[in-house]
Amino acid sequence: MRIAVAGATGNIGARTVAALERDGHEVVRISRSLGVDLVTGAGLDDALAGVDAVVDAISAPPTDREQTATYFGTTTSNLLAAEQRAGVRHHVLLSIVGIHGIEGNAHYSGKREQERLVTEGPVPWTIVPATQFHDFAAMVAGWTERDGVATIAPLLVQPIAPADIAEILAEIATGEPQGRYVDVAGPETQDLVDMARRTNEVRGRVVKLVPTWSGIFEVSMAGNVLLPGENARIAPTTFDDWLAAGAV
Ligand SMILES: NC(=O)c1ccc[n+]([C@@H]2O[C@H](COP(=O)([O-])OP(=O)(O)OC[C@H]3O[C@@H](n4cnc5c(N)ncnc54)[C@H](OP(=O)(O)O)[C@@H]3O)[C@@H](O)[C@H]2O)c1
């Protein structure tokens, strides 16, 4: 098949490209640094010529709620319209578990806008809600790090390995549209503060972590709200496996 991956240079997009190419598919890589911009639509029609399916694994710059919703809304609308013109038969969206139960987070409101446009859009679709990735904890702690000190919310998560979610996206993109897919998660629950501490240890970084609910992850995200629902698909790689492999 000929499959386009939007966000092809990103954490999950690049791994999805690799999985698809390993399985013999022809992959079109979409990202601004590769000359295709989903905000302006530049290069998009050419990129989608002859494409059967599209995986959307782009992300949005961290900003406020309104701008995030506008970014994901514009990129998704442009992508879906170009897919319709090109006769693409399957749109696969990488989303996040639990976003419909949490009001406050700006990124989540953008993801809800993506989901709304995809479900109401012209192209048959599959939405894949994933839990946080194994590298999420150290990444979000890194956003606040100053002089060796970082704040981080003590979220309860059930993280998934980046390589595992990429395999699942590649598998789904090569099949029929399925509508809303079951939640996809890793095998074990974890405390985000502990994950960040252990990841930094493996990476040889000394960072003092201060648990708090005062940052972008509010107390409405405490408890079970980020955990996968019943009948979730559980990917195999544990957080410990990922650490043992070097936390990359
Ligand atoms: N982090 C988590 O734990 C987690 C969990 C579940 C789901 N997710 C979702 O997973 C998705 C992917 O996350 P990620 O961490 O893999 O993202 P990432 O590493 O930040 O990569 C984002 C990709 O999107 C591309 N991109 C951004 N804006 C674009 C535009 N206007 N036009 C074309 N390409 C654009 C970037 O390339 P250029 O900069 O070259 O354009 C890059 O390839 C996100 O939507 C996120 O919500 C994340």
Side-chain angles (χ1 to χ4, degrees):
M1 286 175 68
R2 187 171 165 89
I3 298 170
V5 177
T9 56
N11 185 19
I12 305 306
R15 296 170 205 266
T16 306
V17 169
L20 287 165
E21 287 181 337
R22 179 204 61 211
D23 292 343
H25 300 288
E26 193 183 338
V27 179
V28 178
R29 297 162 74 232
I30 290 176
S31 87
R32 290 166 299 185
S33 56
L34 298 171
V36 186
D37 188 343
L38 299 188
V39 171
T40 62
L44 195 47
D45 283 324
D46 285 346
L48 294 187
V51 162
D52 301 299
V54 171
V55 177
D56 184 356
I58 78 156
S59 201
T63 169
D64 65 24
R65 195 183 162 98
E66 202 175 314
Q67 288 183 54
T68 308
T70 300
Y71 196 87
F72 274 131
T74 304
T75 53
T76 305
S77 298
N78 286 341
L79 185 54
L80 291 171
E83 288 175 22
Q84 188 178 29
R85 289 193 292 276
V88 170
R89 290 180 282 113
H90 189 185
H91 180 93
V92 180
L93 172 65
L94 172 57
S95 194
I96 307 178
V97 166
I99 56 171
H100 296 280
I102 296 161
E103 262 302 304
N105 184 283
H107 189 78
Y108 285 11
S109 59
K111 298 300 288 184
R112 284 194 295 273
E113 180 64 359
Q114 268 188 317
E115 288 198 2
R116 186 184 69 77
L117 290 164
V118 169
T119 54
E120 295 175 3
V123 182
W125 51 273
T126 307
I127 290 174
V128 185
T131 56
Q132 288 64 42
F133 310 143
H134 285 343
D135 57 316
F136 178 77
M139 178 180 76
V140 299
W143 292 340
T144 69
E145 190 179 324
R146 298 282 178 281
D147 302 324
V149 181
T151 58
I152 182 166
L155 299 176
L156 177 62
V157 296
Q158 191 167 325
I160 183 168
D164 285 352
I165 183 65
E167 288 292 338
I168 290 169
L169 291 172
E171 174 202 304
I172 288 172
T174 55
E176 294 299 314
Q178 303 188 53
R180 193 169 184 86
Y181 197 70
V182 293
D183 291 348
V184 177
E188 298 171 342
T189 55
Q190 299 285 340
D191 163 4
L192 202 70
V193 182
D194 185 56
M195 286 173 68
R197 184 174 293 122
R198 295 174 68 203
T199 306
N200 283 333
E201 263 169 34
V202 167
R203 291 176 176 172
R205 303 203 67 247
V206 179
V207 183
K208 180 181 175 187
L209 296 173
V210 181
T212 179
W213 294 109
S214 65
I216 59 169
F217 302 119
E218 304 170 354
V219 77
S220 66
M221 298 170 75
N224 286 353
V225 290
L226 295 176
L227 299 184
E230 284 181 15
N231 307 319
R233 176 168 174 178
I234 304 299
T237 310
T238 65
F239 183 65
D240 285 3
D241 292 337
W242 180 79
L243 288 178
V248 285

mmCIF file of all heavy atoms in Angstrom, residues 27-74:
data_model
loop_
_atom_site.group_PDB
_atom_site.id
_atom_site.type_symbol
_atom_site.label_atom_id
_atom_site.label_comp_id
_atom_site.label_asym_id
_atom_site.label_seq_id
_atom_site.Cartn_x
_atom_site.Cartn_y
_atom_site.Cartn_z
ATOM 1 N N VAL A 27 5.934 4.588 1.687
ATOM 2 C CA VAL A 27 5.538 5.601 2.667
ATOM 3 C C VAL A 27 5.860 7.012 2.153
ATOM 4 O O VAL A 27 6.963 7.267 1.670
ATOM 5 C CB VAL A 27 6.248 5.375 4.023
ATOM 6 C CG1 VAL A 27 5.833 6.449 5.021
ATOM 7 C CG2 VAL A 27 5.910 3.990 4.572
ATOM 8 N N VAL A 28 4.860 7.891 2.265
ATOM 9 C CA VAL A 28 5.062 9.312 1.970
ATOM 10 C C VAL A 28 5.219 10.018 3.304
ATOM 11 O O VAL A 28 4.345 9.925 4.174
ATOM 12 C CB VAL A 28 3.854 9.890 1.206
ATOM 13 C CG1 VAL A 28 4.057 11.388 0.952
ATOM 14 C CG2 VAL A 28 3.609 9.134 -0.083
ATOM 15 N N ARG A 29 6.338 10.725 3.493
ATOM 16 C CA ARG A 29 6.619 11.362 4.781
ATOM 17 C C ARG A 29 6.209 12.830 4.734
ATOM 18 O O ARG A 29 6.646 13.568 3.851
ATOM 19 C CB ARG A 29 8.105 11.204 5.119
ATOM 20 C CG ARG A 29 8.493 9.732 5.278
ATOM 21 C CD ARG A 29 9.991 9.521 5.167
ATOM 22 N NE ARG A 29 10.695 9.975 6.355
ATOM 23 C CZ ARG A 29 11.716 10.807 6.339
ATOM 24 N NH1 ARG A 29 12.161 11.296 5.188
ATOM 25 N NH2 ARG A 29 12.304 11.152 7.457
ATOM 26 N N ILE A 30 5.374 13.214 5.691
ATOM 27 C CA ILE A 30 4.865 14.591 5.738
ATOM 28 C C ILE A 30 5.330 15.275 7.025
ATOM 29 O O ILE A 30 5.114 14.755 8.125
ATOM 30 C CB ILE A 30 3.317 14.587 5.686
ATOM 31 C CG1 ILE A 30 2.841 14.144 4.289
ATOM 32 C CG2 ILE A 30 2.742 15.961 6.054
ATOM 33 C CD1 ILE A 30 1.335 14.010 4.157
ATOM 34 N N SER A 31 6.002 16.413 6.876
ATOM 35 C CA SER A 31 6.294 17.307 8.001
ATOM 36 C C SER A 31 6.755 18.623 7.402
ATOM 37 O O SER A 31 7.112 18.679 6.219
ATOM 38 C CB SER A 31 7.353 16.724 8.948
ATOM 39 O OG SER A 31 8.648 17.058 8.503
ATOM 40 N N ARG A 32 6.742 19.698 8.198
ATOM 41 C CA ARG A 32 7.166 20.997 7.657
ATOM 42 C C ARG A 32 8.612 20.948 7.204
ATOM 43 O O ARG A 32 8.964 21.498 6.170
ATOM 44 C CB ARG A 32 6.968 22.097 8.710
ATOM 45 C CG ARG A 32 5.506 22.401 8.980
ATOM 46 C CD ARG A 32 5.344 23.215 10.223
ATOM 47 N NE ARG A 32 5.861 22.479 11.379
ATOM 48 C CZ ARG A 32 5.784 22.880 12.624
ATOM 49 N NH1 ARG A 32 5.213 24.024 12.904
ATOM 50 N NH2 ARG A 32 6.276 22.144 13.613
ATOM 51 N N SER A 33 9.478 20.271 7.998
ATOM 52 C CA SER A 33 10.899 20.228 7.638
ATOM 53 C C SER A 33 11.131 19.427 6.361
ATOM 54 O O SER A 33 12.203 19.524 5.754
ATOM 55 C CB SER A 33 11.714 19.645 8.791
ATOM 56 O OG SER A 33 11.221 18.371 9.137
ATOM 57 N N LEU A 34 10.126 18.641 5.947
ATOM 58 C CA LEU A 34 10.235 17.897 4.691
ATOM 59 C C LEU A 34 9.452 18.600 3.577
ATOM 60 O O LEU A 34 9.204 18.031 2.516
ATOM 61 C CB LEU A 34 9.708 16.463 4.892
ATOM 62 C CG LEU A 34 10.484 15.628 5.911
ATOM 63 C CD1 LEU A 34 9.763 14.306 6.194
ATOM 64 C CD2 LEU A 34 11.901 15.355 5.416
ATOM 65 N N GLY A 35 8.973 19.832 3.850
ATOM 66 C CA GLY A 35 8.375 20.651 2.792
ATOM 67 C C GLY A 35 6.862 20.593 2.684
ATOM 68 O O GLY A 35 6.290 21.146 1.751
ATOM 69 N N VAL A 36 6.190 19.938 3.636
ATOM 70 C CA VAL A 36 4.721 19.884 3.598
ATOM 71 C C VAL A 36 4.190 20.447 4.918
ATOM 72 O O VAL A 36 4.526 19.940 5.988
ATOM 73 C CB VAL A 36 4.206 18.436 3.394
ATOM 74 C CG1 VAL A 36 2.693 18.443 3.206
ATOM 75 C CG2 VAL A 36 4.894 17.767 2.217
ATOM 76 N N ASP A 37 3.350 21.491 4.806
ATOM 77 C CA ASP A 37 2.840 22.162 6.017
ATOM 78 C C ASP A 37 1.326 22.027 6.084
ATOM 79 O O ASP A 37 0.603 22.532 5.213
ATOM 80 C CB ASP A 37 3.249 23.643 5.979
ATOM 81 C CG ASP A 37 2.919 24.367 7.289
ATOM 82 O OD1 ASP A 37 2.106 23.839 8.076
ATOM 83 O OD2 ASP A 37 3.478 25.453 7.508
ATOM 84 N N LEU A 38 0.839 21.376 7.102
ATOM 85 C CA LEU A 38 -0.607 21.170 7.243
ATOM 86 C C LEU A 38 -1.339 22.444 7.668
ATOM 87 O O LEU A 38 -2.556 22.498 7.557
ATOM 88 C CB LEU A 38 -0.898 20.051 8.247
ATOM 89 C CG LEU A 38 -0.357 18.663 7.933
ATOM 90 C CD1 LEU A 38 -0.905 17.651 8.929
ATOM 91 C CD2 LEU A 38 -0.694 18.229 6.524
ATOM 92 N N VAL A 39 -0.622 23.454 8.156
ATOM 93 C CA VAL A 39 -1.295 24.717 8.501
ATOM 94 C C VAL A 39 -1.639 25.491 7.227
ATOM 95 O O VAL A 39 -2.758 25.962 7.054
ATOM 96 C CB VAL A 39 -0.428 25.581 9.441
ATOM 97 C CG1 VAL A 39 -1.048 26.971 9.608
ATOM 98 C CG2 VAL A 39 -0.288 24.909 10.804
ATOM 99 N N THR A 40 -0.688 25.583 6.312
ATOM 100 C CA THR A 40 -0.927 26.336 5.068
ATOM 101 C C THR A 40 -1.448 25.431 3.949
ATOM 102 O O THR A 40 -2.006 25.925 2.970
ATOM 103 C CB THR A 40 0.379 26.972 4.578
ATOM 104 O OG1 THR A 40 1.313 25.911 4.285
ATOM 105 C CG2 THR A 40 0.977 27.881 5.638
ATOM 106 N N GLY A 41 -1.207 24.139 4.061
ATOM 107 C CA GLY A 41 -1.581 23.205 2.989
ATOM 108 C C GLY A 41 -0.508 23.080 1.923
ATOM 109 O O GLY A 41 -0.659 22.304 0.972
ATOM 110 N N ALA A 42 0.609 23.806 2.090
ATOM 111 C CA ALA A 42 1.666 23.785 1.070
ATOM 112 C C ALA A 42 2.218 22.374 0.877
ATOM 113 O O ALA A 42 2.617 21.718 1.844
ATOM 114 C CB ALA A 42 2.801 24.722 1.474
ATOM 115 N N GLY A 43 2.227 21.912 -0.366
ATOM 116 C CA GLY A 43 2.803 20.614 -0.699
ATOM 117 C C GLY A 43 1.891 19.427 -0.457
ATOM 118 O O GLY A 43 2.246 18.284 -0.779
ATOM 119 N N LEU A 44 0.718 19.675 0.095
ATOM 120 C CA LEU A 44 -0.130 18.576 0.555
ATOM 121 C C LEU A 44 -0.762 17.786 -0.594
ATOM 122 O O LEU A 44 -0.766 16.544 -0.573
ATOM 123 C CB LEU A 44 -1.210 19.152 1.486
ATOM 124 C CG LEU A 44 -1.992 18.208 2.371
ATOM 125 C CD1 LEU A 44 -1.089 17.233 3.100
ATOM 126 C CD2 LEU A 44 -2.797 19.038 3.380
ATOM 127 N N ASP A 45 -1.291 18.472 -1.595
ATOM 128 C CA ASP A 45 -1.934 17.749 -2.704
ATOM 129 C C ASP A 45 -0.938 16.841 -3.414
ATOM 130 O O ASP A 45 -1.254 15.692 -3.724
ATOM 131 C CB ASP A 45 -2.592 18.733 -3.687
ATOM 132 C CG ASP A 45 -3.910 19.272 -3.138
ATOM 133 O OD1 ASP A 45 -4.636 18.506 -2.466
ATOM 134 O OD2 ASP A 45 -4.197 20.458 -3.352
ATOM 135 N N ASP A 46 0.262 17.347 -3.651
ATOM 136 C CA ASP A 46 1.283 16.517 -4.310
ATOM 137 C C ASP A 46 1.626 15.302 -3.445
ATOM 138 O O ASP A 46 1.765 14.186 -3.933
ATOM 139 C CB ASP A 46 2.568 17.326 -4.543
ATOM 140 C CG ASP A 46 2.402 18.310 -5.693
ATOM 141 O OD1 ASP A 46 1.411 18.167 -6.446
ATOM 142 O OD2 ASP A 46 3.241 19.222 -5.817
ATOM 143 N N ALA A 47 1.737 15.528 -2.120
ATOM 144 C CA ALA A 47 2.130 14.442 -1.219
ATOM 145 C C ALA A 47 1.097 13.319 -1.195
ATOM 146 O O ALA A 47 1.444 12.143 -1.042
ATOM 147 C CB ALA A 47 2.338 14.987 0.198
ATOM 148 N N LEU A 48 -0.175 13.660 -1.360
ATOM 149 C CA LEU A 48 -1.230 12.644 -1.195
ATOM 150 C C LEU A 48 -1.619 11.943 -2.504
ATOM 151 O O LEU A 48 -2.495 11.071 -2.497
ATOM 152 C CB LEU A 48 -2.472 13.268 -0.556
ATOM 153 C CG LEU A 48 -2.308 13.751 0.891
ATOM 154 C CD1 LEU A 48 -3.645 14.177 1.472
ATOM 155 C CD2 LEU A 48 -1.671 12.685 1.783
ATOM 156 N N ALA A 49 -0.949 12.288 -3.595
ATOM 157 C CA ALA A 49 -1.292 11.644 -4.876
ATOM 158 C C ALA A 49 -1.098 10.131 -4.772
ATOM 159 O O ALA A 49 -0.026 9.664 -4.403
ATOM 160 C CB ALA A 49 -0.423 12.227 -5.988
ATOM 161 N N GLY A 50 -2.144 9.382 -5.066
ATOM 162 C CA GLY A 50 -2.059 7.923 -5.077
ATOM 163 C C GLY A 50 -2.004 7.273 -3.717
ATOM 164 O O GLY A 50 -1.759 6.059 -3.599
ATOM 165 N N VAL A 51 -2.259 8.040 -2.650
ATOM 166 C CA VAL A 51 -2.158 7.499 -1.281
ATOM 167 C C VAL A 51 -3.456 6.770 -0.889
ATOM 168 O O VAL A 51 -4.547 7.263 -1.133
ATOM 169 C CB VAL A 51 -1.836 8.643 -0.285
ATOM 170 C CG1 VAL A 51 -2.154 8.258 1.144
ATOM 171 C CG2 VAL A 51 -0.368 9.047 -0.420
ATOM 172 N N ASP A 52 -3.317 5.596 -0.276
ATOM 173 C CA ASP A 52 -4.471 4.809 0.167
ATOM 174 C C ASP A 52 -4.932 5.205 1.565
ATOM 175 O O ASP A 52 -6.120 5.237 1.845
ATOM 176 C CB ASP A 52 -4.091 3.316 0.203
ATOM 177 C CG ASP A 52 -3.643 2.806 -1.140
ATOM 178 O OD1 ASP A 52 -4.454 2.862 -2.079
ATOM 179 O OD2 ASP A 52 -2.475 2.382 -1.265
ATOM 180 N N ALA A 53 -3.974 5.435 2.460
ATOM 181 C CA ALA A 53 -4.310 5.708 3.865
ATOM 182 C C ALA A 53 -3.352 6.753 4.422
ATOM 183 O O ALA A 53 -2.204 6.865 3.971
ATOM 184 C CB ALA A 53 -4.209 4.431 4.694
ATOM 185 N N VAL A 54 -3.841 7.507 5.410
ATOM 186 C CA VAL A 54 -3.019 8.543 6.056
ATOM 187 C C VAL A 54 -3.020 8.310 7.559
ATOM 188 O O VAL A 54 -4.084 8.071 8.154
ATOM 189 C CB VAL A 54 -3.575 9.958 5.759
ATOM 190 C CG1 VAL A 54 -2.865 11.013 6.593
ATOM 191 C CG2 VAL A 54 -3.470 10.285 4.270
ATOM 192 N N VAL A 55 -1.845 8.363 8.174
ATOM 193 C CA VAL A 55 -1.741 8.355 9.635
ATOM 194 C C VAL A 55 -1.423 9.775 10.073
ATOM 195 O O VAL A 55 -0.434 10.352 9.614
ATOM 196 C CB VAL A 55 -0.620 7.416 10.122
ATOM 197 C CG1 VAL A 55 -0.492 7.476 11.642
ATOM 198 C CG2 VAL A 55 -0.868 5.982 9.662
ATOM 199 N N ASP A 56 -2.269 10.354 10.953
ATOM 200 C CA ASP A 56 -1.973 11.692 11.480
ATOM 201 C C ASP A 56 -1.352 11.560 12.862
ATOM 202 O O ASP A 56 -2.039 11.258 13.841
ATOM 203 C CB ASP A 56 -3.250 12.548 11.538
ATOM 204 C CG ASP A 56 -2.961 13.976 11.997
ATOM 205 O OD1 ASP A 56 -1.784 14.263 12.330
ATOM 206 O OD2 ASP A 56 -3.886 14.800 12.032
ATOM 207 N N ALA A 57 -0.028 11.781 12.927
ATOM 208 C CA ALA A 57 0.701 11.748 14.208
ATOM 209 C C ALA A 57 1.443 13.060 14.412
ATOM 210 O O ALA A 57 2.541 13.081 14.977
ATOM 211 C CB ALA A 57 1.674 10.570 14.225
ATOM 212 N N ILE A 58 0.822 14.181 13.946
ATOM 213 C CA ILE A 58 1.472 15.467 14.202
ATOM 214 C C ILE A 58 1.194 15.892 15.641
ATOM 215 O O ILE A 58 0.324 15.349 16.326
ATOM 216 C CB ILE A 58 1.050 16.598 13.227
ATOM 217 C CG1 ILE A 58 -0.315 17.189 13.585
ATOM 218 C CG2 ILE A 58 1.107 16.157 11.783
ATOM 219 C CD1 ILE A 58 -0.478 18.608 13.061
ATOM 220 N N SER A 59 1.927 16.877 16.105
ATOM 221 C CA SER A 59 1.612 17.483 17.394
ATOM 222 C C SER A 59 1.506 18.991 17.210
ATOM 223 O O SER A 59 1.745 19.498 16.112
ATOM 224 C CB SER A 59 2.658 17.114 18.447
ATOM 225 O OG SER A 59 2.087 17.297 19.728
ATOM 226 N N ALA A 60 1.111 19.683 18.277
ATOM 227 C CA ALA A 60 0.944 21.139 18.213
ATOM 228 C C ALA A 60 1.913 21.782 19.187
ATOM 229 O O ALA A 60 2.223 21.204 20.228
ATOM 230 C CB ALA A 60 -0.491 21.512 18.580
ATOM 231 N N PRO A 61 2.397 22.996 18.872
ATOM 232 C CA PRO A 61 3.278 23.680 19.826
ATOM 233 C C PRO A 61 2.548 23.949 21.140
ATOM 234 O O PRO A 61 1.336 24.192 21.119
ATOM 235 C CB PRO A 61 3.617 25.008 19.132
ATOM 236 C CG PRO A 61 2.823 25.076 17.885
ATOM 237 C CD PRO A 61 2.105 23.789 17.676
ATOM 238 N N PRO A 62 3.247 23.877 22.280
ATOM 239 C CA PRO A 62 2.581 24.125 23.561
ATOM 240 C C PRO A 62 2.164 25.586 23.672
ATOM 241 O O PRO A 62 3.004 26.471 23.605
ATOM 242 C CB PRO A 62 3.648 23.767 24.600
ATOM 243 C CG PRO A 62 4.951 23.816 23.876
ATOM 244 C CD PRO A 62 4.665 23.590 22.425
ATOM 245 N N THR A 63 0.867 25.820 23.794
ATOM 246 C CA THR A 63 0.365 27.189 23.907
ATOM 247 C C THR A 63 -0.986 27.122 24.624
ATOM 248 O O THR A 63 -1.270 26.132 25.287
ATOM 249 C CB THR A 63 0.281 27.840 22.499
ATOM 250 O OG1 THR A 63 -0.443 29.061 22.619
ATOM 251 C CG2 THR A 63 -0.442 26.978 21.494
ATOM 252 N N ASP A 64 -1.805 28.173 24.494
ATOM 253 C CA ASP A 64 -3.060 28.152 25.256
ATOM 254 C C ASP A 64 -4.123 27.326 24.542
ATOM 255 O O ASP A 64 -3.924 26.837 23.435
ATOM 256 C CB ASP A 64 -3.547 29.578 25.542
ATOM 257 C CG ASP A 64 -3.935 30.333 24.277
ATOM 258 O OD1 ASP A 64 -4.273 29.688 23.262
ATOM 259 O OD2 ASP A 64 -3.886 31.575 24.296
ATOM 260 N N ARG A 65 -5.249 27.203 25.231
ATOM 261 C CA ARG A 65 -6.327 26.341 24.794
ATOM 262 C C ARG A 65 -6.847 26.720 23.396
ATOM 263 O O ARG A 65 -6.983 25.869 22.514
ATOM 264 C CB ARG A 65 -7.441 26.526 25.840
ATOM 265 C CG ARG A 65 -8.520 25.538 25.846
ATOM 266 C CD ARG A 65 -9.514 25.980 26.908
ATOM 267 N NE ARG A 65 -10.761 25.319 26.697
ATOM 268 C CZ ARG A 65 -11.152 24.238 27.353
ATOM 269 N NH1 ARG A 65 -10.399 23.724 28.299
ATOM 270 N NH2 ARG A 65 -12.298 23.665 27.066
ATOM 271 N N GLU A 66 -7.088 28.010 23.203
ATOM 272 C CA GLU A 66 -7.672 28.464 21.944
ATOM 273 C C GLU A 66 -6.714 28.226 20.766
ATOM 274 O O GLU A 66 -7.104 27.723 19.720
ATOM 275 C CB GLU A 66 -7.993 29.952 22.074
ATOM 276 C CG GLU A 66 -9.037 30.436 21.093
ATOM 277 C CD GLU A 66 -9.394 31.893 21.378
ATOM 278 O OE1 GLU A 66 -9.608 32.232 22.566
ATOM 279 O OE2 GLU A 66 -9.414 32.666 20.438
ATOM 280 N N GLN A 67 -5.441 28.596 20.979
ATOM 281 C CA GLN A 67 -4.469 28.433 19.883
ATOM 282 C C GLN A 67 -4.209 26.962 19.574
ATOM 283 O O GLN A 67 -3.973 26.604 18.418
ATOM 284 C CB GLN A 67 -3.156 29.123 20.249
ATOM 285 C CG GLN A 67 -3.257 30.641 20.209
ATOM 286 C CD GLN A 67 -1.909 31.295 20.511
ATOM 287 O OE1 GLN A 67 -0.902 31.014 19.875
ATOM 288 N NE2 GLN A 67 -1.874 32.154 21.509
ATOM 289 N N THR A 68 -4.243 26.122 20.597
ATOM 290 C CA THR A 68 -4.026 24.689 20.348
ATOM 291 C C THR A 68 -5.186 24.114 19.544
ATOM 292 O O THR A 68 -4.980 23.353 18.589
ATOM 293 C CB THR A 68 -3.885 23.921 21.676
ATOM 294 O OG1 THR A 68 -2.901 24.556 22.467
ATOM 295 C CG2 THR A 68 -3.479 22.480 21.430
ATOM 296 N N ALA A 69 -6.415 24.495 19.925
ATOM 297 C CA ALA A 69 -7.586 24.009 19.180
ATOM 298 C C ALA A 69 -7.547 24.523 17.741
ATOM 299 O O ALA A 69 -7.884 23.789 16.798
ATOM 300 C CB ALA A 69 -8.866 24.450 19.880
ATOM 301 N N THR A 70 -7.106 25.772 17.550
ATOM 302 C CA THR A 70 -7.009 26.329 16.192
ATOM 303 C C THR A 70 -5.954 25.570 15.385
ATOM 304 O O THR A 70 -6.166 25.241 14.213
ATOM 305 C CB THR A 70 -6.641 27.832 16.252
ATOM 306 O OG1 THR A 70 -7.663 28.501 16.984
ATOM 307 C CG2 THR A 70 -6.518 28.428 14.872
ATOM 308 N N TYR A 71 -4.814 25.268 16.028
ATOM 309 C CA TYR A 71 -3.730 24.563 15.310
ATOM 310 C C TYR A 71 -4.185 23.178 14.861
ATOM 311 O O TYR A 71 -4.074 22.806 13.695
ATOM 312 C CB TYR A 71 -2.498 24.441 16.213
ATOM 313 C CG TYR A 71 -1.240 24.080 15.454
ATOM 314 C CD1 TYR A 71 -0.447 25.052 14.878
ATOM 315 C CD2 TYR A 71 -0.855 22.741 15.304
ATOM 316 C CE1 TYR A 71 0.698 24.732 14.169
ATOM 317 C CE2 TYR A 71 0.290 22.410 14.592
ATOM 318 C CZ TYR A 71 1.067 23.405 14.037
ATOM 319 O OH TYR A 71 2.203 23.072 13.324
ATOM 320 N N PHE A 72 -4.729 22.414 15.816
ATOM 321 C CA PHE A 72 -5.173 21.058 15.453
ATOM 322 C C PHE A 72 -6.385 21.115 14.515
ATOM 323 O O PHE A 72 -6.540 20.255 13.643
ATOM 324 C CB PHE A 72 -5.530 20.266 16.716
ATOM 325 C CG PHE A 72 -4.355 19.576 17.362
ATOM 326 C CD1 PHE A 72 -4.120 19.697 18.725
ATOM 327 C CD2 PHE A 72 -3.498 18.774 16.617
ATOM 328 C CE1 PHE A 72 -3.048 19.039 19.337
ATOM 329 C CE2 PHE A 72 -2.425 18.111 17.222
ATOM 330 C CZ PHE A 72 -2.200 18.251 18.586
ATOM 331 N N GLY A 73 -7.245 22.138 14.683
ATOM 332 C CA GLY A 73 -8.412 22.258 13.818
ATOM 333 C C GLY A 73 -8.014 22.568 12.381
ATOM 334 O O GLY A 73 -8.494 21.930 11.433
ATOM 335 N N THR A 74 -7.099 23.517 12.223
ATOM 336 C CA THR A 74 -6.662 23.913 10.877
ATOM 337 C C THR A 74 -5.926 22.772 10.183
ATOM 338 O O THR A 74 -6.191 22.451 9.022
ATOM 339 C CB THR A 74 -5.727 25.146 10.968
ATOM 340 O OG1 THR A 74 -6.424 26.173 11.669
ATOM 341 C CG2 THR A 74 -5.313 25.630 9.601
#
